[in-house]
Amino acid sequence: MAGARIPRFAFTLALIVVPVFASHAGAQATNQTPGVTITPPVVVVGSPELIRVAAPADATLEGEWLGKKLEFFRGRDGQAWFALAGVDVESPEGASTLRISVRATGATGAIDLSRNVEIHPAHYRTTTLTVAPKFVAPGPEELARIKAESELKAKVFAASAPEPLWSGNFRAPVTAAPTDSFGTRRVFNGALASVHKGMDFRALVGTAVRAGNSGVVVLAAPLYYEGNCVVIDHGLGLYTISMHLSRIDVKEGQRVKTGDEIGLSGATGRVTGPHLHWAVRWQNAYLDPAKLLRMDLSGVR
Ligand SMILES: [Zn+2]
């Protein structure tokens, strides 16, 4: 059913877009089929998505998806624009509209490249866990600390760099077995339910934790639930978060490169035992880290 729509879409697009861009883009850009590519093409709840838009370097792009503004950057090959986006782990499945418009320099109107994107269910598991009672029913002092920390995190997540700071593929933060734990619905001590918004690695206390990509450390502090926590800003609203560390080896404001050691794994905060919890956040959406690690971004920037 989707297959029947794509050729017509591409054909219509070619008719509309080529004449407009031809005068501005020169010989190089006329070799490509203008349009939008989403990778991976089957979109599921919790999935990061790379959006590629073939448009000239001097075009102006605007986009919006699932209530979030898309921030485009120019790809390394000089042929296309990209946005690294995704669907939150708690986002509903079903139809969505990916809105993209492209305005060529000097053109009076924008070209609408919007398309429908079906979001498929992901079938995450449910597990039960037991943690210390103070993490399920925090007292007044602890609640005040949790509130202050939540405000601190909101500030950190509202101030991402205005350009991408990452480069090439993301790499796993530890040399340890990953678990299939992202998206799991969890029942703590038989009561509190929450969704697991990251990926756990079975890392022993003292295992080196490394930056998954280049960026800037925007938070490096002990937090109530997260334990010793390091947040790296990769720009344009994309962050990786490492939790439960036994030691933090970076400072806020510090620039890191892919593979730089940021601390040692541990068992601080709300844990059932030693492990590294690693989360990927884009704007306010939590995305599956395993899928980000599998993305081929080597030619993107
Ligand atoms: Zn976890």
Side-chain angles (χ1 to χ4, degrees):
M1 19 169 225
R5 284 205 307 269
I6 289 163
R8 183 196 283 189
F9 174 74
F11 179 67
T12 312
L13 214 57
L15 279 180
I16 299 168
V17 177
V18 168
V20 178
F21 286 161
S23 57
H24 304 283
Q28 225 182 4
T30 53
N31 296 332
Q32 47 182 315
T33 310
V36 178
T37 316
I38 305 176
T39 312
V42 176
V43 179
V44 301
V45 170
S47 175
E49 295 291 334
L50 182 68
I51 300 166
R52 179 186 191 274
V53 181
D58 60 354
T60 307
L61 278 73
E62 277 179 25
E64 186 264 344
W65 190 28
L66 299 165
K68 297 175 178 64
K69 189 172 183 275
L70 299 176
E71 310 263 16
F72 290 95
F73 58 89
R74 195 71 181 150
R76 191 159 74 180
D77 65 359
Q79 300 292 304
W81 294 84
F82 291 90
L84 195 47
V87 183
D88 182 60
V89 62
E90 293 188 278
S91 181
E93 60 205 62
S96 73
T97 304
L98 173 63
R99 295 186 196 285
I100 297 173
S101 69
V102 179
R103 186 187 297 269
T105 305
T108 43
I111 295 150
D112 185 14
L113 299 184
S114 300
R115 52 177 283 187
N116 295 325
V117 175
E118 183 69 17
I119 298 165
H120 299 274
H123 309 296
Y124 296 121
R125 291 172 294 121
T126 298
T127 56
T128 55
L129 293 169
T130 306
V131 293
K134 67 169 184 174
F135 289 116
V136 176
E141 228 170 90
E142 290 149 343
L143 284 172
R145 180 181 169 189
I146 291 163
K147 186 170 175 281
E149 290 179 357
S150 132
E151 284 161 8
L152 170 72
K153 285 182 278 182
K155 222 186 233 176
V156 162
F157 290 129
S160 190
E163 71 280 327
L165 303 176
W166 57 272
S167 160
N169 292 340
F170 280 73
R171 54 157 283 176
V174 279
T175 310
T179 63
D180 175 26
S181 54
F182 177 78
T184 308
R185 269 61 185 162
R186 307 197 303 179
V187 180
F188 284 101
N189 300 9
L192 179 73
S194 78
V195 172
H196 189 241
K197 295 182 175 184
M199 179 182 188
D200 290 340
F201 290 84
R202 291 195 184 94
L204 300 174
V205 174
T207 308
V209 177
R210 301 179 184 282
N213 210 315
S214 49
V216 173
V217 175
V218 287
L219 192 150
L223 302 176
Y224 187 72
Y225 288 118
E226 295 86 345
N228 292 320
C229 180
V230 173
V231 178
I232 300 175
D233 177 17
H234 301 290
L236 301 184
L238 185 71
Y239 300 86
T240 52
I241 308 161
S242 298
M243 300 185 190
H244 315 310
L245 305 180
S246 58
R247 198 179 81 191
I248 294 175
D249 289 331
V250 284
K251 287 188 171 61
E252 289 166 13
Q254 187 177 330
R255 278 196 165 256
V256 289
K257 292 194 301 293
T258 311
D260 283 355
E261 190 177 312
I262 58 172
L264 300 178
S265 71
T268 55
R270 186 176 69 182
V271 294
T272 55
H275 71 281
L276 174 70
H277 175 105
W278 197 56
V280 172
R281 180 177 161 127
W282 171 62
Q283 299 196 21
N284 57 354
Y286 282 91
L287 312 178
D288 187 349
K291 291 199 172 84
L292 182 68
L293 292 173
R294 281 200 298 269
M295 269 187 168
D296 182 10
L297 299 168
S298 51
V300 175
R301 70 165 269 110

